[in-house]
Structures are given as structure tokens and as C-alpha cells.
Amino acid sequence: MRATTLSFLNMHQHGELFVNFLRARRRIFIDDKQWDLPQVDGMEFDQYDTPRARWIVLHEYGEVMGGVRLMPTTSTCAQYSYMLRDAQLGMLPDIPQDVLFFKAPVRDDIWEATRLFLTNAVPAHRRIAVQRMLMNQMAGAAYAMGASHVLGIVPATFSRWMTRLGLMSAVPVGPVQNIDGDRTQAALMNVSYIGDIAPTESTHTLH
């Protein structure tokens, strides 16, 4: 399995990987979770898929197995900034405004993670290793871009989840809530904790 960090500058070097990533997102978030999201030509996308974003994609033999999107909290595009801040400002009706305990940060050293997923193609006996790979690649990519922390909505059981993955450095920063049928909570992860050991190049391999 390989992990590739995509940007608008390098996606042309990876064939249809970005298109296949957006198609995998559609299967997970629209087909399976039944979220009401934009789609076209079998791809899911939204207002945060801009040149400011980075996309970490896990893939094996051409098939997308998982991924996550990163966005700097300093991002702006028309009236939008990043998902948690826009939710706090009342711009995203599907996410509660009280999703964070504090005012959403706008800082160069904090990035946001969204659209985290693994596909059903990842067998049960590999899921923990693959989740760990995805989180480490996410942290490595954020760390390489100057981030010290990543902010995002995670399962409300994230403390147990992070412990199982061997990733301990995260704190809850929002109340436990039910969002689109998932019991979730905003968390802040210290990516410098694993950034020193996470690979920061665009591609890494898991055997």
C-alpha cells in the first residue's frame, strides 16, 4: 500500500488518482453515509477542495483505500474559510455552531483535517495498521507545511482510538455531538509528536 500527498501542483503526476479519490469519497459519504453533498460524474466535492488544500490518499494496485483532506486554518475562498470555522459562524447548517469550546483559530501552525475515511476494501485484519499509516501520513504532511497541530472532528471514542493506534497526543476541544448519524467530537492533535517519525515525502509504502 502506498500513501501519496496530492496538491494542485503535483496531481498531474499521478494520473487519475485524484479523480479516484473523489469517487471513493462519494461512495463513502454519499452512497454509504447518505450525506447531502455536491457530486458530479461520480465524484464528491465541496467548497473546501481548493488549491489551498492537500489530500492524503492511500492506494494499492490503483485502488483508493482511504484518505483525508488537509486545509490551513488561514484559508479563504469567497465567503468560506475552513469547515469548523464556517460551522461556528453558522454557515454550515449540518454542523452545530457550538462544535468548538473556543473561537475557531486562524493560525499558520494549525491545519484542519476533514473527509477522513477508509474504504470497505481494507480487510479487518489490516484496518489498524492502515489507520495508523493514514494518521501518520496526515501528521507528516501537516508538519512539513509548518503545522504543529491538526484540528478535526473525530469519533467520540477518539481517546481509545488514538491509544489503539499508538497516537496519544490529542485533546478534546468540543462537546460530544451527533453529526449526520455519527457520535463525534472535535479534537486537536499535536502533529509534532509524530511528525519527527512520520514520512514527509509525497509517497510512502506499507507492506
Side-chain angles (χ1 to χ4, degrees):
M1 186 175 298
R2 300 172 71 83
T4 300
T5 300
L6 294 174
S7 71
F8 267 66
L9 290 178
N10 74 1
M11 64 175 62
H12 69 282
Q13 300 171 358
H14 299 280
E16 295 187 352
L17 184 59
F18 185 62
V19 170
N20 291 335
F21 169 71
L22 296 182
R23 287 174 175 160
R25 278 184 17 185
R26 189 218 68 204
R27 291 194 297 271
I28 294 294
F29 297 108
I30 295 178
D31 295 347
D32 295 346
K33 290 182 173 291
Q34 297 292 300
W35 290 6
D36 182 17
L37 298 170
Q39 61 175 314
V40 68
D41 296 331
M43 297 178 288
E44 180 269 310
F45 64 95
D46 65 18
Q47 62 269 37
Y48 305 107
D49 291 303
T50 76
R52 292 183 178 272
R54 300 293 184 271
W55 303 267
I56 291 84
V57 186
L58 302 187
H59 50 106
E60 189 169 54
Y61 305 118
E63 182 176 3
V64 173
M65 310 295 277
V68 64
R69 176 179 60 198
L70 289 173
M71 175 72 72
T73 59
T74 55
S75 178
T76 57
C77 184
Q79 73 267 37
Y80 298 104
S81 55
Y82 66 95
M83 190 176 290
L84 288 178
R85 183 171 183 268
D86 290 345
Q88 195 175 69
L89 294 174
M91 299 171 63
L92 304 177
D94 293 332
I95 302 178
Q97 286 184 255
D98 62 347
V99 66
L100 294 171
F101 290 139
F102 48 76
K103 184 177 180 180
V106 179
R107 292 173 44 169
D108 290 331
D109 60 342
I110 299 179
W111 283 56
E112 180 189 52
T114 53
R115 295 292 195 271
L116 176 71
F117 71 93
L118 294 185
T119 72
N120 293 331
V122 181
H125 71 276
R126 297 182 69 191
R127 291 189 80 83
I128 290 179
V130 174
Q131 287 173 340
R132 185 182 298 115
M133 180 180 183
L134 180 57
M135 296 297 288
N136 273 282
Q137 288 291 322
M138 178 194 76
Y143 190 67
M145 292 180 288
S148 61
H149 293 81
V150 168
L151 180 67
I153 295 176
V154 297
T157 58
F158 84 94
S159 294
R160 185 168 69 248
W161 181 59
M162 297 290 277
T163 300
R164 187 173 72 246
L165 296 181
L167 305 172
M168 295 287 293
S169 188
V171 294
V173 292
V176 175
Q177 296 177 322
N178 188 297
I179 300 178
D180 287 320
D182 293 332
R183 191 167 178 268
T184 62
Q185 187 172 28
L188 188 69
M189 185 173 74
N190 180 358
V191 299
S192 62
Y193 172 72
I194 56 177
D196 291 332
I197 62 172
T200 57
E201 61 269 18
S202 64
T203 303
H204 184 64
T205 303
L206 174 70
H207 299 289

